[in-house]
Amino acid sequence: MRTLTVDLPGRAYDIQIQRGLLDLAGERCRTVLPKAARIFLVTDSNVEPLYLERTAASLRSAGFRVSTCTVPAGESAKCPEELAILWENMMSAGLTRTDAVAALGGGVVGDLAGFAAATILRGVDFIQIPTTLLAQVDSSVGGKVAVDLRAGKNLAGAFWQPKLVLMDPDVLDTLPDSTFADGMAEVIKYGCIFDRAFFDFLAARPSRKELMADIEHILYTCCDWKRSVVVEDERDTGRRMLLNFGHTLGHAYELAGHYETWTHGQAVAAGMVLAAKLGTKLGLTPPELAGQIERAVTALGLPGTIECSHEEYVAAIGLDKKGAGDDISLIVLEEMGKAVPHRMSKAALLEAL
Ligand code: GLY
């Protein structure tokens, strides 16, 4: 087993990475929840037939009473309506303030269940059991929980750190290739922004099979970087913003495709390539980096470029006539493995695009 500690004052928690960990979820949860009688386990309709019963059985074997709730798979479940359903079901199940909520699933389940945990009874303990690569390397660590509003993604939420994050690399075996590749966009991002040697390590393993052979090292490295950023800047006002590399442009692609044409990982992949090209145009990024990132992402079936009109960039970057002159922090690479924020006007960014 590999363990990392997210050392936040008074709210430190472990990330455990271990094959077969799903079957040990009960004993591991018991160590951090000595008084909890019940765990309210949230999953989605994709994960339920694969892993719900195994996880629930493990929790029961550690003496927890388990209530389960399955939300529809997909981003549309991350909404206030599903949140309200969870709240009501938690109360019907008899959840008390000494009980806990656990999320078994990808980023949508983690964000939704986490926000429910942060708000029900003014906050109860929360456990993350991420089952997608994207959730394992990014969303399950760091405490950002939210639901989407009609006005945009993640607009109602909280910082609510879990008590424990349990990562079983074996559960990644059931992911479709495209979902695995989605998570790899975020994995490659860590190499780009923090760790040149890790980028080279990934680039030398351009297939899922090769990556899965080293998956524990990959998960550990990503979570170690995420942990260090979260400890330094939990509230996302400084260094944590470096994690947005590729995301400003990626959000434009997601928005232009109405969150249906492009997945988050696909949009981030193309967004990182364009951010490198923009960095070069601004005289900040060595010219060979865009090609290096493009080769790494396209080898996994992710797009290196996505078409987007000027109007779509304007809509996403938020420059309308009223907002003209506002600044934006674009994350750019000074070298492979070293990201910096580059403050520029939105107008200048759109001009560069
Ligand atoms: N996913 C970016 C962050 O947690 O800050």
Side-chain angles (χ1 to χ4, degrees):
M1 176 178 68
R2 299 180 190 223
T3 304
L4 286 156
T5 301
V6 183
D7 208 358
L8 287 163
R11 287 162 302 139
Y13 60 94
D14 283 353
I15 304 163
Q16 298 182 1
I17 303 165
Q18 185 179 357
R19 291 188 184 272
L21 189 53
L22 223 49
D23 298 314
L24 305 172
E27 65 180 65
R28 302 296 164 82
C29 287
R30 184 49 85 194
T31 60
V32 297
L33 303 169
K35 295 203 186 107
R38 180 177 300 281
I39 292 188
F40 191 93
L41 182 58
V42 183
T43 194
D44 74 15
S45 50
N46 284 342
V47 178
E48 181 196 299
L50 296 168
Y51 303 120
L52 181 67
E53 194 36 52
R54 252 176 81 191
T55 311
S58 174
L59 295 173
R60 279 189 216 104
S61 73
F64 295 108
R65 273 175 277 165
V66 180
S67 310
T68 65
C69 187
T70 301
V71 302
E75 183 76 25
S76 60
K78 218 176 102 174
C79 62
E81 293 76 16
E82 286 293 337
L83 177 67
I85 292 170
L86 283 186
W87 283 333
E88 296 296 348
N89 285 350
M90 286 169 177
M91 288 299 90
S92 306
L95 196 82
T96 70
R97 294 186 77 175
T98 51
D99 292 333
V101 171
L104 174 73
V108 167
V109 169
D111 281 12
L112 175 67
F115 193 34
T119 44
I120 193 76
L121 301 170
R122 299 200 176 87
V124 300
D125 286 341
F126 177 47
I127 305 287
Q128 285 272 22
I129 312 174
T131 59
T132 64
L133 181 57
L134 197 142
Q136 293 190 342
V137 299
D138 183 25
S139 58
S140 66
V141 176
K144 282 188 184 172
V145 294
V147 294
D148 302 334
L149 301 181
R150 274 189 283 280
K153 282 181 75 173
N154 296 324
L155 289 182
F159 289 95
W160 192 251
Q161 300 293 341
K163 280 271 166 195
L164 182 64
V165 186
L166 297 175
M167 286 181 200
D168 183 346
D170 285 346
V171 302
L172 303 178
D173 288 341
T174 50
L175 293 179
D177 280 341
S178 58
T179 313
F180 183 83
D182 257 0
M184 279 306 301
E186 298 285 354
V187 171
I188 290 168
K189 183 191 75 180
Y190 286 104
C192 293
I193 62 178
F194 295 132
D195 191 337
R196 188 205 171 96
F198 185 52
F199 180 87
D200 292 342
F201 174 92
L202 298 169
R205 286 161 182 76
S207 72
R208 179 172 177 175
K209 196 164 171 246
E210 290 163 291
L211 293 161
M212 277 308 287
D214 283 305
I215 194 66
E216 281 145 304
H217 170 68
I218 291 170
L219 296 177
Y220 184 91
T221 305
C222 295
C223 290
D224 200 15
W225 282 116
K226 179 96 194 239
R227 175 200 64 74
S228 72
V229 170
V230 168
V231 166
E232 198 177 306
D233 176 28
E234 183 189 6
R235 296 277 159 160
D236 203 6
T237 55
R239 190 158 173 254
R240 189 163 180 171
M241 286 194 270
L242 298 180
L243 298 174
N244 286 337
F245 176 59
H247 282 59
T248 302
L249 304 163
H251 285 153
Y253 303 141
E254 286 185 279
L255 191 67
H258 306 284
Y259 296 95
E260 280 168 11
T261 313
W262 304 107
T263 63
H264 183 67
Q266 289 169 334
V268 167
M272 291 193 293
V273 176
L274 187 54
K277 287 183 182 158
L278 278 175
T280 301
K281 208 166 184 175
L282 296 165
L284 300 164
T285 302
E288 66 278 13
L289 265 53
Q292 289 174 12
I293 300 169
E294 186 162 14
R295 278 191 292 283
V297 298
T298 54
L300 297 164
L302 292 161
T305 50
I306 291 177
E307 291 301 318
C308 191
S309 70
H310 182 75
E311 290 67 35
E312 286 164 340
Y313 279 128
V314 170
I317 290 162
L319 184 75
D320 55 20
K321 290 192 178 65
K322 297 177 289 259
D326 284 354
D327 283 354
I328 192 164
S329 233
L330 185 71
I331 309 301
V332 294
L333 301 182
E334 282 188 344
E335 55 189 73
M336 186 58 84
K338 183 161 187 255
V340 291
H342 177 71
R343 196 111 194 116
M344 63 195 299
S345 72
K346 291 176 180 174
L349 174 58
L350 286 164
E351 177 69 28
L353 283 166

